[in-house]
Amino acid sequence: MADSSFDIVSKVDRQEVDNALNQAAKEISQRYDFRGVGASIAWSGEQIEIRANAEERANAVLDIFQTKLIKRGISLKALETGEPQASGKEFRLFSTIKEGISTDDAKKVAKLIRDEGPKGVKAQVQGDELRVTSKSRDALQEVQRLVREKDFDFAVQFVNYR
């Protein structure tokens, strides 16, 4: 019998992020507490740019955006946000969406699987993902449980389960 396997990845559905951004922009344009403060949220290349006339307002817009991401099933671990920066009379806040598992993070996960995982499970780094193989499907499910319980600083998903 062939080995069973799955991949551990860190990917984000761009369309869902775009939908969350549009929902947040719509809510900001309609809420009375954001009227006349120049609050906005939009894509700026590959980054998300938040603008407001006060640091607290910029953080409030970010909070709305994070709420929309959670409702759409996107982990906040994929969102990397800087500090609000003063730019003239307004504050700007830039956020990026992290995708892919870095080599160092993949090595951490592989070490966890080797040290604490069931016997006979192999993990190998393949680009920005991690392939886990075993003869036993139960062992693979045990690895998934182990990785879910460990709180990494990046979002993880399990794909290509065969």
Side-chain angles (χ1 to χ4, degrees), residues 81-101:
T81 306
E83 291 297 314
Q85 303 166 340
S87 172
K89 291 184 177 180
E90 69 181 4
F91 282 84
R92 290 183 181 183
L93 189 69
F94 289 99
S95 296
T96 55
I97 303 294
K98 294 189 301 186
E99 285 194 294
I101 300 176

Side-chain angles (χ1 to χ4, degrees), residues 40-91:
S40 67
I41 182 170
W43 285 105
S44 174
E46 284 294 308
Q47 293 185 321
I48 298 164
E49 182 180 18
I50 298 172
R51 295 178 179 211
N53 67 354
E55 188 175 346
E56 295 80 30
R57 291 276 186 238
N59 287 329
V61 171
L62 177 65
D63 189 46
I64 291 170
F65 179 55
Q66 288 174 337
T67 304
K68 300 299 180 189
L69 285 174
I70 291 170
K71 284 185 180 177
R72 294 206 152 265
I74 297 170
S75 173
L76 292 182
K77 292 179 182 179
L79 184 70
E80 198 170 84
T81 306
E83 291 297 314
Q85 303 166 340
S87 172
K89 291 184 177 180
E90 69 181 4
F91 282 84

Side-chain angles (χ1 to χ4, degrees), residues 98-117:
K98 294 189 301 186
E99 285 194 294
I101 300 176
S102 71
T103 307
D104 292 339
D105 290 337
K107 286 179 182 176
K108 286 180 193 172
V109 176
K111 183 172 176 10
L112 171 77
I113 292 169
R114 248 191 337 271
D115 295 346
E116 299 180 28

